[in-house]
Amino acid sequence: MGVKTEITLSELNQLFPSYGFTKISPTASGIIDTTYIVHTKTNGYILKRYERDIPHKIILDIRLLNNLKSVGLNVPTCLDENSGWYIYEKLKGKQPRSVRNYHIQALGRFLAKMHKETSKKRCNSNIIIEDEVTQALKYVKANYFGYYKRFEFLKNFTHKHEAIIHGDIFKDNTIFNGRDIGVIDFIDSSCGTFAYDVAVALIGFDVRKHNDYFINLFLKSYNQHAPKKLSKKAIKEKMKFAANFFALKRVYEYKNTSRARELLK
C-alpha cells in the first residue's frame, strides 16, 4: 500500500476546512511516502505525507514544480500544507499501459523543455546517486552475492552534476491526457546528467523491446529543443547503467529479485 500514516476524512477536513473534502482513497503506490487521492464535490487532489526527514528537499521540490509549471510544463504544484500533510494538484488523464509513438514523442518534448529550464540554474540538490550505489552494493554483497557480481561495475560510475534531473520517469510517474504528457513525483529529483535522465525514461517506457526505433524517435523529438543534443551512443551507455542501478535498488530496498530481473533482460 501507498499509506504508512493513516488519516480519516474527518481529520482531513479539520486540517483543510476550506476544501470540503467528500472522499479519501488510499493508493497502492508510493512505498516510501504516504499518498492518498482525495476529492471534493468538483475536484480531485493528491494528499501526501513524506515519511522521511527531508524538509529542505520538500521546499526545493515545491520550488522546482512551480518553476516548471511557469514555463508551461504539466506538473502538479503544491496547493496547501498543514502539519506535514501536503495537497497537490491531481493531473488529468491516466498512466499509459502500452507504449505508442506519441508517448515517446511527448516524453522527448517534455524532457527537452525541462532540461532547457533546469540548465539555467545552479544544481544544488542534496541527493547523490554515487552514495546510493555504495550503500546498496555493500548490502547486496553481503546478502545476494550472485547479484553483486552483476552490479559490481557500478562502483566505478561517476554521476556528473550537469543540472537537476527527474531521474525516475518510469511509466507510472507519467499521466497522459490524450497525447499531452504530465510528469509527477519529483521529490527524488537530483543533480545528474541529461543523458542519464533520458536513459531512465527510455527504460521506463520499455524502449528496449523495440530495438532502436523508439530511441531514434525520442531523440528526433528531444534534440529539436534540448539545451544540448544527445547521441544514441551516449544514451545506450547510460541505459546500461540505469537498468542495473534500478535493478540494484529493487534488490536493496525491496528485496525483490524478480522485479530486478525485469530490468536485466
Side-chain angles (χ1 to χ4, degrees):
M1 294 293 288
V3 170
K4 287 192 173 182
T5 301
E6 295 184 354
I7 185 172
T8 66
L9 182 61
S10 174
E11 291 169 337
L12 175 62
N13 279 312
Q14 288 178 23
L15 287 175
F16 302 101
S18 64
Y19 287 82
F21 289 111
T22 59
K23 184 179 179 181
I24 180 169
S25 304
T27 65
S29 60
I31 294 173
I32 297 175
D33 300 312
T34 290
T35 306
Y36 285 92
I37 298 174
V38 296
H39 289 86
T40 65
K41 289 182 179 180
T42 55
N43 296 307
Y45 302 88
I46 301 298
L47 176 70
K48 291 190 74 76
R49 183 179 184 88
Y50 297 102
E51 306 290 354
R52 297 169 278 175
D53 186 19
I54 52 170
H56 181 62
K57 185 66 179 73
I58 294 170
I59 293 170
L60 292 177
D61 177 60
I62 291 171
R63 287 178 184 169
L64 175 61
L65 290 171
N66 288 335
N67 179 213
L68 297 179
K69 192 80 166 186
S70 72
V71 297
L73 288 171
N74 188 21
V75 297
T77 54
C78 183
L79 304 174
D80 217 335
E81 184 275 333
N82 191 1
S83 302
W85 291 94
Y86 295 81
I87 295 177
Y88 287 85
E89 293 177 287
K90 184 177 184 293
L91 302 185
K92 294 180 180 179
K94 57 186 179 180
Q95 296 171 355
R97 292 185 179 178
S98 59
V99 180
R100 302 183 180 275
N101 288 2
Y102 70 84
H103 292 128
I104 298 298
Q105 291 167 320
L107 183 65
R109 291 191 297 270
F110 181 97
L111 277 172
K113 194 167 186 178
M114 175 186 159
H115 291 165
K116 187 174 182 180
E117 187 61 25
T118 60
S119 68
K120 300 174 184 177
K121 295 175 174 58
R122 180 182 176 86
C123 181
N124 59 359
S125 181
N126 62 348
I127 295 178
I128 302 175
I129 287 179
E130 294 96 311
D131 293 343
E132 294 184 61
V133 170
T134 300
Q135 235 179 357
L137 282 175
K138 184 178 179 180
Y139 171 83
V140 173
K141 185 176 183 180
N143 296 277
Y144 297 89
F145 190 74
Y147 280 91
Y148 172 76
K149 298 302 293 181
R150 177 70 183 260
F151 299 137
E152 188 178 12
F153 81 97
L154 295 175
K155 68 184 180 183
N156 298 317
F157 181 82
T158 300
H159 202 60
K160 295 179 181 178
H161 292 176
E162 195 166 54
I164 294 177
I165 63 171
H166 186 290
D168 192 22
I169 301 184
F170 280 66
K171 281 186 293 186
D172 56 3
N173 278 334
T174 63
I175 305 290
F176 279 85
N177 187 16
R179 292 175 180 255
D180 297 326
I181 187 175
V183 176
I184 62 175
D185 201 8
F186 281 77
I187 192 61
D188 289 322
S189 59
S190 64
C191 293
T193 64
F194 299 141
Y196 176 78
D197 212 13
V198 166
V200 172
L202 291 177
I203 288 170
F205 273 71
D206 303 324
V207 302
R208 291 175 298 173
K209 296 179 181 178
H210 302 269
N211 298 316
D212 286 354
Y213 174 72
F214 273 173
I215 298 178
N216 293 333
L217 188 66
F218 176 93
L219 287 176
K220 184 177 180 181
S221 179
Y222 177 87
N223 282 337
Q224 290 180 38
H225 306 287
K228 74 174 190 180
K229 294 184 185 299
L230 297 176
S231 69
K232 183 161 62 176
K233 180 181 178 181
I235 296 305
K236 283 192 166 184
E237 288 174 354
K238 289 295 189 294
M239 285 177 71
K240 178 184 177 184
F241 170 79
N244 280 273
F245 171 69
F246 278 92
L248 172 64
K249 285 187 70 172
R250 288 178 177 182
V251 176
Y252 173 54
E253 294 181 358
Y254 313 131
K255 318 302 182 281
N256 196 328
T257 55
S258 60
R259 291 202 65 205
R261 287 195 295 272
E262 293 173 2
L263 292 169
L264 297 174
K265 292 178 181 178

